[in-house]
Amino acid sequence: MAPEDRVEVTLVPSADVATRVAPGTPPGTASTGVNVLAQPNAAGPPTPAGARPAHKIRAPVPVSTSVGLMTATLHDPTSPVYLDAASAMPLHPVARETLLAALEDGWADPARLYAAGRRARLLLDGAREAVASELGARADEVSFTSSGTVAAHQAVLGALAGRRRAGRLLVHSAVEHSCVLQAGQSHVAAGGEQASIGVDALGSVDVDALRALLDTRPDTALVSVQSANHEVGTCQPLDAVHHACAGVPLHVDAAQSLAWEAPAPGWSLLTGSARKWGGPAGVGVLAVRTGTRWRSPMPSDEAEGGRMPGALNLPLVLAAATSLQAARAESAALAPRLRALVERIRTEVPRLVPDVEVLGHPSLRLPHLVTFSALYVEGEAAVRALDAAGFAVTSGSSCTSSTLTPSHVLEAMGALTHGNLRVSLHRGSTEADVDRLLAVLPGVLTRLRADAGAAGL
Amino acid sequence: MSVLPPPDLVVDAVGRPCPMPVIELARALPGVAVGAVVGVRADDPAARVDIPAWCRMRRQDYLGTGAPDGPGTLYLVRRVS
């Protein structure tokens, strides 16, 4: 790490709010200073609209948003540049601080009557209210699960079980995350039916086709459409989807978008994953709108409103809640900054490298994610070459084995499935990171094309 | 199937993973006359997406799949430029 990139970390214990600012921190990201633990009467900027204060989730150390720390780390020209936030967003410093505090003082069984149990219950209730507020839900509609995948399985299979008398057809878009498709396969194996709705070349779901299918299939039990696609970043037209559903319950997998905003309110079931918003892995969230029929697809107990059996990992849940609040407080400044960096990649990569197709909707898209496919390149080889060059990115290609099928998302879009790379940014990503990527990428792709004997094709 | 023209040249990419079927197609196409049809025989699952995608990106005419005279799927492409 170069000396000028070092950060002096100082805690400013003013009313539980401290902001650590690194030199060279991008404008608009350092000023948040949000009091994510929402102490009453704390100084600092107001919490996001609609956010209700969490009940006494209190860390023993002042909470900060520590904006500069990761930025400075990633400024180091010798350190790897992590560009896979869509798989796992780097842990938000607020999540780390909450987690450490809760390991000391937030781990008892919330179902118990003694003081530590009551305190754990208060902390859990506060986390539930905080998350519900960010989802646009009521606290009693929200359950925590052990992952985003489990949340989606519970949402889909529980809604199908609850609607069994109405019908057994699950309708989903062709570009849903594999967790929804796998829930569908499980439903089919149990005698149910599933139907897939296609997307256009930009990855937007065909709402007319959805409407037409629902017109002919009044036995549709559930529609599942993501808020935004995890591979190409296209935001789905959820208002139109909801309108087309015309009373059929809609599950929205909002895993990729919850860091940025609450989805449009037409959902009946909503799921997400803390790992995608800067919280720890191992926490998912399931919201079931009041009045939605839902029956647990697995044995249930009294935990989480009967929607997720077994003991929660309370420290992880608390960290998930505070990091979601922190992410939303930063979103207004961070999203435009990352959107500009993504736009630069979308413009520059096809200019610098021939025969590259940039994928996904040009404007209706996630702020932090960009995907492109390069002709004649093996995607996994590109991932390994970029890793060697100091960049962590991922690929939807499956060229290494002929038994693997290509990404169902790219296939549904009719997009080139080989040579695919997904770059996803986060609060620590800088313009310098993107500069370095754009400097390295043309050479990497040219070399891989030459290795494959495809130079000049 | 029967309405598709027989290929003037067949490239065998069976057993070769992506992106090789597309690379073989790109190599073969300049060797046939404009208007001629190249067939690519491939069993890689990505070929069913990538050969049409290549045709779109390179403005060639993807005709569909024909009856392969061996293992794999026969993808037919007409050279238009």
Side-chain angles (χ1 to χ4, degrees), chain A residues 355 357 376 399 411 417, chain B residues 18 27 48 50 54 56 58:
Chain A
D355 293 322
E357 200 172 39
Y376 314 133
C399 296
E411 180 165 8
T417 73
Chain B
C18 68
R27 279 189 188 133
R48 68 174 179 253
D50 287 357
W54 181 88
R56 175 172 45 74
R58 285 309 184 84

Side-chain angles (χ1 to χ4, degrees), chain A residues 402-444:
Chain A
S402 60
T403 61
L404 294 177
T405 53
S407 150
H408 67 276
V409 172
L410 301 179
E411 180 165 8
M413 293 167 60
L416 198 65
T417 73
H418 71 251
N420 179 259
L421 290 173
R422 180 184 74 181
V423 173
S424 48
L425 310 178
H426 51 89
R427 64 199 293 280
S429 301
T430 65
E431 189 157 16
D433 296 339
V434 173
D435 288 341
R436 283 176 59 200
L437 179 69
L438 293 174
V440 165
L441 191 66
V444 165

Side-chain angles (χ1 to χ4, degrees), chain A residues 41-413:
Chain A
N41 306 319
T47 47
R52 278 170 288 182
H55 290 310
K56 302 192 187 225
I57 307 179
R58 210 155 61 86
V61 292
V63 173
S64 83
T65 50
S66 183
V67 170
L69 195 58
M70 186 171 297
T71 306
T73 307
L74 294 180
H75 266 149
D76 180 349
T78 63
S79 73
V81 177
Y82 182 79
L83 299 174
D84 192 20
S87 291
M89 188 86 76
L91 194 68
H92 196 289
V94 160
R96 179 185 307 275
E97 291 182 18
T98 305
L99 183 55
L100 292 175
L103 288 171
E104 295 293 325
D105 187 26
W107 50 266
D109 187 339
R112 299 303 175 213
L113 297 177
Y114 42 76
R118 295 197 307 274
R119 174 157 167 70
R121 168 59 57 187
L122 280 176
L123 291 167
L124 178 58
D125 288 347
R128 196 183 315 282
E129 285 212 18
V131 168
S133 167
E134 302 297 348
L135 301 183
R138 281 172 25 176
D140 62 4
E141 295 172 331
V142 172
S143 302
F144 294 107
T145 70
S146 55
S147 72
T149 290
V150 166
H153 289 172
Q154 291 292 90
V156 170
L157 296 177
L160 289 169
R163 291 261 298 164
R164 193 175 167 129
R165 273 187 230 164
R168 300 209 69 192
L169 176 64
L170 165 66
V171 176
H172 55 75
S173 89
V175 297
E176 291 305 301
H177 189 276
S178 56
C179 63
V180 169
L181 304 184
Q182 284 152 5
Q185 287 158 15
S186 172
H187 175 61
V188 169
E193 252 191 290
Q194 73 183 118
S196 180
I197 299 294
V199 297
D200 64 15
L202 299 175
S204 299
V205 65
D206 184 343
V207 179
D208 290 337
L210 173 63
R211 197 178 293 112
L213 179 68
L214 295 180
D215 279 349
T216 60
R217 293 296 301 265
D219 60 332
T220 302
L222 179 68
V223 174
S224 180
V225 175
Q226 63 198 184
S227 59
N229 186 262
H230 50 293
E231 287 193 39
V232 299
T234 298
C235 293
Q236 300 296 352
L238 283 185
D239 281 330
V241 166
H242 174 231
H243 193 254
C245 283
V248 176
L250 171 64
H251 164 235
V252 173
D253 166 15
Q256 286 296 341
S257 64
L258 283 179
W260 310 107
E261 61 184 10
W267 51 267
S268 300
L269 304 108
L270 179 71
T271 55
S273 167
R275 187 170 69 133
K276 313 289 191 194
W277 70 59
V283 181
V285 61
L286 161 66
V288 180
R289 199 67 99 185
T290 304
T292 303
R293 297 187 72 89
W294 189 93
R295 198 171 74 220
S296 180
M298 65 164 91
S300 61
D301 59 19
E302 68 280 7
E304 294 304 294
R307 294 189 172 131
M308 187 65 218
L312 285 174
N313 188 326
L314 183 57
L316 293 187
V317 167
L318 301 177
T322 57
S323 57
L324 180 59
Q325 289 184 312
R328 289 296 183 76
E330 292 172 0
S331 171
L334 183 55
R337 184 174 78 79
L338 298 185
R339 196 177 286 281
L341 294 177
V342 158
E343 192 52 40
R344 196 151 156 252
I345 295 171
R346 287 179 63 90
T347 307
E348 286 297 300
V349 171
R351 199 179 67 75
L352 295 168
V353 186
D355 293 322
V356 167
E357 200 172 39
V358 176
L359 305 177
H361 199 286
S363 56
L364 300 176
R365 54 181 305 100
L366 290 168
H368 68 303
L369 190 162
V370 51
T371 308
F372 49 88
S373 290
L375 266 182
Y376 314 133
V377 170
E378 191 197 308
E380 297 96 317
V383 168
R384 283 191 296 271
L386 286 170
D387 180 49
F391 298 92
V393 301
T394 188
S395 170
S397 304
S398 295
C399 296
T400 46
S401 162
S402 60
T403 61
L404 294 177
T405 53
S407 150
H408 67 276
V409 172
L410 301 179
E411 180 165 8
M413 293 167 60

